[in-house]
Structure formats: structure tokens, C-alpha cells
């Protein structure tokens, strides 16, 4: 799967929004998501079926490699990207009794 040339610009948009919100779903309607930010509209159904799925995939790969981004299944068990400023709060919840 070839990396689209617009991946860097899309990743920058997503990182700016992630830093502002501190968390983003990978996809979904319940909360702001990477897929919706990348395509600029709500993705209905699976993002894998969207015409820009290749771009969404590469942006998610960039997020996975970014040193200030962590990934966990949080909101509704969905893949959620977390900005590093939120990590201590998530850890506190995870280890709380």
C-alpha cells in the first residue's frame, strides 16, 4: 500500500487536533475521530471501506510512531489515541481500585 503524498499534511492536522483535545477515537461517531478529521466529514460505516482509507491508515501509522501519542482501547472499547498530557490521568484510573 503506497503512502499518499498528502499524508504529512493530514498527520499534522490530526496531531494539532489531538494536542488540543488530548484524545481522539481512531474512528466513530461518538467523539472526534482521526478518520473524520482526515477526510473532513463524518465517515459512515467502516473507515476501511472509505475511498480515503489508505490515507487514514498512514495517518494512524504516523500516530502510532509519534513519541507523544499513546494508543489504547478506551471509549467504548474503541482504539483511542491519547496525547501525553493525558497519560497520568489515564494511568491513575487504570491502577485505581
Amino acid at each position: 500500500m503506497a503512502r499518499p503524498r498528502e499524508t504529512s499534511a493530514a498527520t499534522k492536522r490530526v496531531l494539532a487536533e489531538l494536542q488540543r483535545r488530548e484524545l481522539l477515537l481512531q474512528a466513530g461517531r461518538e467523539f472526534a475521530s482521526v478518520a473524520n478529521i482526515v477526510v473532513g466529514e463524518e465517515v459512515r460505516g467502516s473507515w476501511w471501506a472509505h475511498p480515503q482509507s489508505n490515507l487514514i491508515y498512514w495517518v494512524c501509522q504516523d500516530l502510532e510512531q509519534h513519541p507523544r501519542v499513546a494508543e489504547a482501547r478506551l471509549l467504548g472499547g474503541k482504539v483511542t489515541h491519547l496525547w501525553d498530557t493525558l497519560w497520568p490521568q489515564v494511568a491513575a484510573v487504570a491502577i485505581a481500585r
Side-chain angles (χ1 to χ4, degrees), residues 32-51:
S33 74
V34 172
N36 292 347
I37 293 167
V38 169
V39 302
E41 63 184 20
E42 185 176 307
V43 174
R44 298 185 186 277
S46 171
W47 66 264
W48 286 103
H50 193 277

Side-chain angles (χ1 to χ4, degrees), residues 45-67:
S46 171
W47 66 264
W48 286 103
H50 193 277
Q52 293 187 34
S53 62
N54 191 27
L55 179 59
I56 297 167
Y57 170 82
W58 284 105
V59 169
C60 289
Q61 292 301 302
D62 287 350
L63 293 178
E64 189 176 308
Q65 300 301 317
H66 197 281

Side-chain angles (χ1 to χ4, degrees), residues 8-40:
S8 292
T11 298
K12 285 180 185 176
R13 285 194 318 273
V14 171
L15 283 171
E17 190 65 18
L18 180 55
Q19 184 175 12
R20 187 177 79 76
R21 291 181 178 266
E22 297 186 301
L23 65 98
L24 292 173
L25 289 175
Q26 188 170 62
R29 299 168 133 181
E30 304 85 357
F31 195 76
S33 74
V34 172
N36 292 347
I37 293 167
V38 169
V39 302

Side-chain angles (χ1 to χ4, degrees), residues 79-92:
V79 175
T80 308
H81 299 278
L82 303 161
W83 195 250
D84 64 359
T85 54
L86 197 58
W87 297 354
Q89 292 88 339
V90 172

